[in-house]
Amino acid sequence: MARVLQILRLKHSLFYQTHRTKMGSVPLQEDARKIFWAAVSAVLPPHMLHRSLKVTDCGDSSVLECGGIEFSLNRNLYLVGFGKAVLGMAASVEQILGKHLLEGVISIPRGMEESLKQAGRREMLLSSGSSIRVMEGAEHNMADEAALEAAGEIQSLAKKLTERDILLVLISGGGSALLPAPFPPLTLQDKQTITKQLAMKGATIQELNTLRRTLSKLKGGGLAMAAFPAQVVSLILSDVIGDDLDVIASGPTVYSSYSAKECLRILDKYHLRGSAPGTVEQVLLSRPPTLLNDNFNHVHNILIGSNLIALGEAQEESTKLGYHPLLLSTSISGDVKQVSCFYGLLARVICSIMTNSPEQQQLQQEILSLVDKMTIPDLKLADWLQELQTYGDLGAVCVLCGGEITVLVQGEGKGGRNQELALRVAQEWHDTQEGMKDCEVLFLSGGTDGQDGPTEAAGAFSYPGLLMDAQEKGLNVEHSLNHSDSNGFFTRFHDGRYLLVTGLTGTNVMDVQVLLIQKNRRQ
C-alpha cells in the first residue's frame, strides 16, 4: 500500500510541476466539494462492476470471467447482496448478466431505492421486471426486523443451491447491519443493545465486527457454508482500513475461527461484562466449535473497490483545479481529538513551508512527535515533509486522506464522526490563526456513503475563523462538542452552508478528508 501511494505521489508531483496553472476565483469550498465528488464517482457501482465482470457467449454456452477465473454459465447463476452500495452493484450486474440470472435477493438501507430515484440515478436501479428482489431495512445503520427478514431470505436462497450452481455475492460497507442472523437464544434486540453499547464506548469497527461474526449464523464465513457445495463468487467493496476481507461486512464469505476469549476480552476492555445482555455471554460460552472447511475451495473473494481508488481520482481532480496534490494516507484512524490535532497542526506546518516561516522547524518537530503516537501504517510524514520543501513556489496544496476515526458519544445531541472532526479541527485553529494569516485554509471531512451518523449530512467544512464567526452568532462550539451535537451546530451556523449534503451516494469506501491550503495572492 505504501509503495502504491509513493508512485501516485510521484506521478502527480511531476504532472503538477509541468502543468500548474494559476488558481481561479472558485471558492475553496467549491473546490473541496468537486474533489470529494471525484473520489465518490470513482467507486460508484457502474464503474467497478463493468471493469470486474466479462461475459463471453459461445453458441449455446457462455463463460463468466471474474478475477482471472472462468465460470460456465448454464441457467445456474444466483445473486445475493447486502450493503449501502449493493443496489447499484446489483443493477450493474443485471445489465451485464441479466439473461443468465435466475434469482436474487439483496438487503439495502431503508430509503436507498427512493433516494436514488429522486436523485435521477437510473443507472443504479434495477429494471422493472428484475429477477432480483429488493428488501430494505437497517435504518441509520442499525439492524432491525426488516433486515432480519432479508437475512433469512438470503440464507434460504443460499441453502437450496447445488454443486452445479454459482452464487454471486455482492458485499459493501453497511453489510453487517443488513445481514443480522443472531445465534439463539440471542435476539435481535440483544444484538442491537450490545452493538450500541460498544459504539457508544468508542469501539473500533474491527472490534464490533469480531463480536458480530461470533454472534451470527451468517457472518464469519457462515453464508459461504450455507451455500456449499455451490461455487461462491464474492465481489467486495471495502469500507475498512487495510481492506481486510474478513472485516468487511464481518466476512460472510471469508473463513473465520470462533474465539470466545477474544470477544470476552473486548467486553472487558469496555467494561460491559456486567451491563451487556446475558444472552451475549451465554452464546459466546455455549456456541459449538466452528465447523468450516479450512480450504474454502468453493469460495472466490474479489476486492473491486477501495478508498485508495477513490483518493486516486480525487488526486486527479485536484491537479485539474490547480493544486499540488499530496495523497498522504488511506489509514487515518483513532480518536477524533487526536486526529483533529493532527489536521490542525498539519495545516500550520504546510502554511509555514509555503510562506517560508521561521516556525517551520518547530512545527515540524511537533507534528512528527504527534504522529509517533498515532497508529497510521502508511503515513511516512517525515519523508513527505522533506519532499514538499524541495518544490519551489507552491501556490496551492491539496492534502488527501482517507480512513475512519472513532468518536465517543457524550450527550443527547445529533452528529457524526465527520462533522465532529471538522468542528474540532476548527477548534484547533482558533488560537493559532495568526500563524496562518498568509494562507487561505479549508478542511472537509465526508463519508463516501453520503450519511454521517444518524443525520442527513455526509460531513462538513471548516476553516480557521469558524469559532470566531460562531461566537458572533451566539453559537457555543464547546457546548456542541460536549453534547455530541456537531450536526446541530452546523445546521444553525450560516443556515447549514458548511454542511456537506450529498444524499445517499450508492457507494461506501469509508471517509475522505480534503485539506486545501492556498497562499494569499499578495505573497
Side-chain angles (χ1 to χ4, degrees), residues 162-185:
T162 68
E163 62 183 5
R164 67 177 298 274
D165 294 322
I166 301 169
L167 180 63
L168 195 60
V169 183
L170 307 179
I171 303 175
S172 76
S176 286
L178 288 159
L179 195 72
F183 265 106

PDB file of all heavy atoms in Angstrom, residues 162-185:
ATOM      1  N   THR A 162     -27.039 -26.139  -5.435  1.00  0.00           N
ATOM      2  CA  THR A 162     -26.353 -27.421  -5.636  1.00  0.00           C
ATOM      3  C   THR A 162     -24.944 -27.174  -6.155  1.00  0.00           C
ATOM      4  O   THR A 162     -24.543 -26.026  -6.419  1.00  0.00           O
ATOM      5  CB  THR A 162     -27.114 -28.279  -6.656  1.00  0.00           C
ATOM      6  OG1 THR A 162     -27.024 -27.665  -7.958  1.00  0.00           O
ATOM      7  CG2 THR A 162     -28.588 -28.413  -6.276  1.00  0.00           C
ATOM      8  N   GLU A 163     -24.199 -28.251  -6.366  1.00  0.00           N
ATOM      9  CA  GLU A 163     -22.800 -28.127  -6.798  1.00  0.00           C
ATOM     10  C   GLU A 163     -22.658 -27.579  -8.211  1.00  0.00           C
ATOM     11  O   GLU A 163     -21.576 -27.126  -8.593  1.00  0.00           O
ATOM     12  CB  GLU A 163     -22.104 -29.480  -6.695  1.00  0.00           C
ATOM     13  CG  GLU A 163     -22.708 -30.552  -7.570  1.00  0.00           C
ATOM     14  CD  GLU A 163     -22.029 -31.891  -7.382  1.00  0.00           C
ATOM     15  OE1 GLU A 163     -21.144 -31.997  -6.501  1.00  0.00           O
ATOM     16  OE2 GLU A 163     -22.372 -32.823  -8.099  1.00  0.00           O
ATOM     17  N   ARG A 164     -23.709 -27.582  -9.000  1.00  0.00           N
ATOM     18  CA  ARG A 164     -23.630 -27.033 -10.360  1.00  0.00           C
ATOM     19  C   ARG A 164     -23.933 -25.539 -10.387  1.00  0.00           C
ATOM     20  O   ARG A 164     -23.771 -24.889 -11.420  1.00  0.00           O
ATOM     21  CB  ARG A 164     -24.590 -27.763 -11.304  1.00  0.00           C
ATOM     22  CG  ARG A 164     -26.063 -27.533 -11.004  1.00  0.00           C
ATOM     23  CD  ARG A 164     -26.957 -28.234 -12.022  1.00  0.00           C
ATOM     24  NE  ARG A 164     -26.733 -27.698 -13.352  1.00  0.00           N
ATOM     25  CZ  ARG A 164     -27.353 -26.622 -13.849  1.00  0.00           C
ATOM     26  NH1 ARG A 164     -28.215 -25.949 -13.082  1.00  0.00           N
ATOM     27  NH2 ARG A 164     -27.118 -26.220 -15.073  1.00  0.00           N
ATOM     28  N   ASP A 165     -24.337 -24.982  -9.252  1.00  0.00           N
ATOM     29  CA  ASP A 165     -24.772 -23.588  -9.208  1.00  0.00           C
ATOM     30  C   ASP A 165     -23.630 -22.624  -8.853  1.00  0.00           C
ATOM     31  O   ASP A 165     -22.618 -23.015  -8.268  1.00  0.00           O
ATOM     32  CB  ASP A 165     -25.906 -23.414  -8.195  1.00  0.00           C
ATOM     33  CG  ASP A 165     -27.165 -24.154  -8.608  1.00  0.00           C
ATOM     34  OD1 ASP A 165     -27.466 -24.163  -9.820  1.00  0.00           O
ATOM     35  OD2 ASP A 165     -27.827 -24.738  -7.727  1.00  0.00           O
ATOM     36  N   ILE A 166     -23.854 -21.348  -9.212  1.00  0.00           N
ATOM     37  CA  ILE A 166     -22.928 -20.263  -8.872  1.00  0.00           C
ATOM     38  C   ILE A 166     -23.701 -19.215  -8.092  1.00  0.00           C
ATOM     39  O   ILE A 166     -24.768 -18.774  -8.530  1.00  0.00           O
ATOM     40  CB  ILE A 166     -22.333 -19.615 -10.140  1.00  0.00           C
ATOM     41  CG1 ILE A 166     -21.586 -20.646 -10.983  1.00  0.00           C
ATOM     42  CG2 ILE A 166     -21.398 -18.455  -9.764  1.00  0.00           C
ATOM     43  CD1 ILE A 166     -21.206 -20.127 -12.368  1.00  0.00           C
ATOM     44  N   LEU A 167     -23.182 -18.837  -6.941  1.00  0.00           N
ATOM     45  CA  LEU A 167     -23.788 -17.767  -6.145  1.00  0.00           C
ATOM     46  C   LEU A 167     -22.887 -16.545  -6.204  1.00  0.00           C
ATOM     47  O   LEU A 167     -21.763 -16.566  -5.699  1.00  0.00           O
ATOM     48  CB  LEU A 167     -23.989 -18.202  -4.692  1.00  0.00           C
ATOM     49  CG  LEU A 167     -24.632 -17.138  -3.782  1.00  0.00           C
ATOM     50  CD1 LEU A 167     -26.044 -16.801  -4.255  1.00  0.00           C
ATOM     51  CD2 LEU A 167     -24.637 -17.581  -2.330  1.00  0.00           C
ATOM     52  N   LEU A 168     -23.382 -15.488  -6.829  1.00  0.00           N
ATOM     53  CA  LEU A 168     -22.660 -14.221  -6.887  1.00  0.00           C
ATOM     54  C   LEU A 168     -23.073 -13.400  -5.669  1.00  0.00           C
ATOM     55  O   LEU A 168     -24.262 -13.118  -5.475  1.00  0.00           O
ATOM     56  CB  LEU A 168     -23.014 -13.483  -8.177  1.00  0.00           C
ATOM     57  CG  LEU A 168     -22.120 -12.322  -8.601  1.00  0.00           C
ATOM     58  CD1 LEU A 168     -20.684 -12.773  -8.819  1.00  0.00           C
ATOM     59  CD2 LEU A 168     -22.663 -11.678  -9.877  1.00  0.00           C
ATOM     60  N   VAL A 169     -22.103 -13.049  -4.826  1.00  0.00           N
ATOM     61  CA  VAL A 169     -22.387 -12.324  -3.582  1.00  0.00           C
ATOM     62  C   VAL A 169     -21.818 -10.911  -3.690  1.00  0.00           C
ATOM     63  O   VAL A 169     -20.614 -10.732  -3.916  1.00  0.00           O
ATOM     64  CB  VAL A 169     -21.775 -13.048  -2.367  1.00  0.00           C
ATOM     65  CG1 VAL A 169     -22.153 -12.319  -1.079  1.00  0.00           C
ATOM     66  CG2 VAL A 169     -22.231 -14.497  -2.307  1.00  0.00           C
ATOM     67  N   LEU A 170     -22.677  -9.911  -3.539  1.00  0.00           N
ATOM     68  CA  LEU A 170     -22.259  -8.514  -3.594  1.00  0.00           C
ATOM     69  C   LEU A 170     -22.181  -7.970  -2.167  1.00  0.00           C
ATOM     70  O   LEU A 170     -23.160  -8.030  -1.418  1.00  0.00           O
ATOM     71  CB  LEU A 170     -23.258  -7.697  -4.415  1.00  0.00           C
ATOM     72  CG  LEU A 170     -23.579  -8.233  -5.814  1.00  0.00           C
ATOM     73  CD1 LEU A 170     -24.604  -7.341  -6.509  1.00  0.00           C
ATOM     74  CD2 LEU A 170     -22.308  -8.352  -6.653  1.00  0.00           C
ATOM     75  N   ILE A 171     -21.022  -7.459  -1.795  1.00  0.00           N
ATOM     76  CA  ILE A 171     -20.788  -7.025  -0.410  1.00  0.00           C
ATOM     77  C   ILE A 171     -20.206  -5.616  -0.397  1.00  0.00           C
ATOM     78  O   ILE A 171     -19.265  -5.310  -1.131  1.00  0.00           O
ATOM     79  CB  ILE A 171     -19.818  -7.981   0.310  1.00  0.00           C
ATOM     80  CG1 ILE A 171     -20.355  -9.417   0.274  1.00  0.00           C
ATOM     81  CG2 ILE A 171     -19.584  -7.529   1.743  1.00  0.00           C
ATOM     82  CD1 ILE A 171     -19.381 -10.436   0.863  1.00  0.00           C
ATOM     83  N   SER A 172     -20.759  -4.768   0.460  1.00  0.00           N
ATOM     84  CA  SER A 172     -20.192  -3.431   0.639  1.00  0.00           C
ATOM     85  C   SER A 172     -20.359  -3.004   2.085  1.00  0.00           C
ATOM     86  O   SER A 172     -20.975  -3.709   2.901  1.00  0.00           O
ATOM     87  CB  SER A 172     -20.870  -2.427  -0.304  1.00  0.00           C
ATOM     88  OG  SER A 172     -22.150  -2.078   0.181  1.00  0.00           O
ATOM     89  N   GLY A 173     -19.837  -1.835   2.401  1.00  0.00           N
ATOM     90  CA  GLY A 173     -19.970  -1.297   3.746  1.00  0.00           C
ATOM     91  C   GLY A 173     -21.424  -1.193   4.167  1.00  0.00           C
ATOM     92  O   GLY A 173     -22.306  -0.946   3.350  1.00  0.00           O
ATOM     93  N   GLY A 174     -21.680  -1.373   5.450  1.00  0.00           N
ATOM     94  CA  GLY A 174     -23.039  -1.389   5.954  1.00  0.00           C
ATOM     95  C   GLY A 174     -23.657  -2.769   5.908  1.00  0.00           C
ATOM     96  O   GLY A 174     -24.779  -2.977   6.370  1.00  0.00           O
ATOM     97  N   GLY A 175     -22.915  -3.730   5.358  1.00  0.00           N
ATOM     98  CA  GLY A 175     -23.432  -5.087   5.204  1.00  0.00           C
ATOM     99  C   GLY A 175     -23.697  -5.794   6.511  1.00  0.00           C
ATOM    100  O   GLY A 175     -24.605  -6.638   6.599  1.00  0.00           O
ATOM    101  N   SER A 176     -22.940  -5.484   7.551  1.00  0.00           N
ATOM    102  CA  SER A 176     -23.138  -6.157   8.842  1.00  0.00           C
ATOM    103  C   SER A 176     -24.539  -5.914   9.390  1.00  0.00           C
ATOM    104  O   SER A 176     -25.229  -6.836   9.824  1.00  0.00           O
ATOM    105  CB  SER A 176     -22.095  -5.670   9.858  1.00  0.00           C
ATOM    106  OG  SER A 176     -20.833  -6.222   9.586  1.00  0.00           O
ATOM    107  N   ALA A 177     -24.975  -4.654   9.384  1.00  0.00           N
ATOM    108  CA  ALA A 177     -26.296  -4.318   9.909  1.00  0.00           C
ATOM    109  C   ALA A 177     -27.416  -4.861   9.035  1.00  0.00           C
ATOM    110  O   ALA A 177     -28.537  -5.057   9.502  1.00  0.00           O
ATOM    111  CB  ALA A 177     -26.436  -2.802  10.041  1.00  0.00           C
ATOM    112  N   LEU A 178     -27.118  -5.115   7.763  1.00  0.00           N
ATOM    113  CA  LEU A 178     -28.134  -5.579   6.819  1.00  0.00           C
ATOM    114  C   LEU A 178     -28.207  -7.098   6.715  1.00  0.00           C
ATOM    115  O   LEU A 178     -29.006  -7.632   5.950  1.00  0.00           O
ATOM    116  CB  LEU A 178     -27.860  -4.975   5.442  1.00  0.00           C
ATOM    117  CG  LEU A 178     -28.154  -3.476   5.338  1.00  0.00           C
ATOM    118  CD1 LEU A 178     -27.402  -2.855   4.174  1.00  0.00           C
ATOM    119  CD2 LEU A 178     -29.651  -3.231   5.204  1.00  0.00           C
ATOM    120  N   LEU A 179     -27.370  -7.804   7.491  1.00  0.00           N
ATOM    121  CA  LEU A 179     -27.374  -9.267   7.462  1.00  0.00           C
ATOM    122  C   LEU A 179     -27.375  -9.825   8.884  1.00  0.00           C
ATOM    123  O   LEU A 179     -26.529 -10.634   9.250  1.00  0.00           O
ATOM    124  CB  LEU A 179     -26.157  -9.770   6.678  1.00  0.00           C
ATOM    125  CG  LEU A 179     -26.189 -11.240   6.245  1.00  0.00           C
ATOM    126  CD1 LEU A 179     -27.182 -11.452   5.122  1.00  0.00           C
ATOM    127  CD2 LEU A 179     -24.790 -11.695   5.809  1.00  0.00           C
ATOM    128  N   PRO A 180     -28.345  -9.429   9.708  1.00  0.00           N
ATOM    129  CA  PRO A 180     -28.372  -9.939  11.083  1.00  0.00           C
ATOM    130  C   PRO A 180     -28.981 -11.342  11.135  1.00  0.00           C
ATOM    131  O   PRO A 180     -30.058 -11.586  10.593  1.00  0.00           O
ATOM    132  CB  PRO A 180     -29.260  -8.926  11.813  1.00  0.00           C
ATOM    133  CG  PRO A 180     -30.209  -8.454  10.756  1.00  0.00           C
ATOM    134  CD  PRO A 180     -29.433  -8.468   9.458  1.00  0.00           C
ATOM    135  N   ALA A 181     -28.277 -12.248  11.762  1.00  0.00           N
ATOM    136  CA  ALA A 181     -28.786 -13.617  11.926  1.00  0.00           C
ATOM    137  C   ALA A 181     -28.253 -14.157  13.245  1.00  0.00           C
ATOM    138  O   ALA A 181     -27.397 -15.035  13.282  1.00  0.00           O
ATOM    139  CB  ALA A 181     -28.339 -14.491  10.761  1.00  0.00           C
ATOM    140  N   PRO A 182     -28.743 -13.634  14.370  1.00  0.00           N
ATOM    141  CA  PRO A 182     -28.186 -13.990  15.683  1.00  0.00           C
ATOM    142  C   PRO A 182     -28.410 -15.455  16.053  1.00  0.00           C
ATOM    143  O   PRO A 182     -29.455 -16.034  15.780  1.00  0.00           O
ATOM    144  CB  PRO A 182     -28.926 -13.063  16.649  1.00  0.00           C
ATOM    145  CG  PRO A 182     -30.177 -12.681  15.928  1.00  0.00           C
ATOM    146  CD  PRO A 182     -29.829 -12.651  14.482  1.00  0.00           C
ATOM    147  N   PHE A 183     -27.366 -16.024  16.694  1.00  0.00           N
ATOM    148  CA  PHE A 183     -27.491 -17.379  17.224  1.00  0.00           C
ATOM    149  C   PHE A 183     -28.477 -17.361  18.391  1.00  0.00           C
ATOM    150  O   PHE A 183     -28.351 -16.553  19.295  1.00  0.00           O
ATOM    151  CB  PHE A 183     -26.140 -17.877  17.735  1.00  0.00           C
ATOM    152  CG  PHE A 183     -25.363 -18.681  16.745  1.00  0.00           C
ATOM    153  CD1 PHE A 183     -24.259 -18.128  16.121  1.00  0.00           C
ATOM    154  CD2 PHE A 183     -25.723 -19.983  16.439  1.00  0.00           C
ATOM    155  CE1 PHE A 183     -23.525 -18.858  15.204  1.00  0.00           C
ATOM    156  CE2 PHE A 183     -25.004 -20.724  15.528  1.00  0.00           C
ATOM    157  CZ  PHE A 183     -23.900 -20.168  14.903  1.00  0.00           C
ATOM    158  N   PRO A 184     -29.461 -18.245  18.398  1.00  0.00           N
ATOM    159  CA  PRO A 184     -30.359 -18.321  19.554  1.00  0.00           C
ATOM    160  C   PRO A 184     -29.588 -18.826  20.782  1.00  0.00           C
ATOM    161  O   PRO A 184     -28.611 -19.545  20.624  1.00  0.00           O
ATOM    162  CB  PRO A 184     -31.425 -19.333  19.092  1.00  0.00           C
ATOM    163  CG  PRO A 184     -30.803 -20.099  17.966  1.00  0.00           C
ATOM    164  CD  PRO A 184     -29.812 -19.173  17.320  1.00  0.00           C
ATOM    165  N   PRO A 185     -29.965 -18.385  21.979  1.00  0.00           N
ATOM    166  CA  PRO A 185     -31.154 -17.598  22.310  1.00  0.00           C
ATOM    167  C   PRO A 185     -30.970 -16.087  22.166  1.00  0.00           C
ATOM    168  O   PRO A 185     -31.823 -15.315  22.600  1.00  0.00           O
ATOM    169  CB  PRO A 185     -31.396 -17.972  23.771  1.00  0.00           C
ATOM    170  CG  PRO A 185     -30.007 -18.163  24.316  1.00  0.00           C
ATOM    171  CD  PRO A 185     -29.229 -18.806  23.192  1.00  0.00           C
TER     172      PRO A 185
END
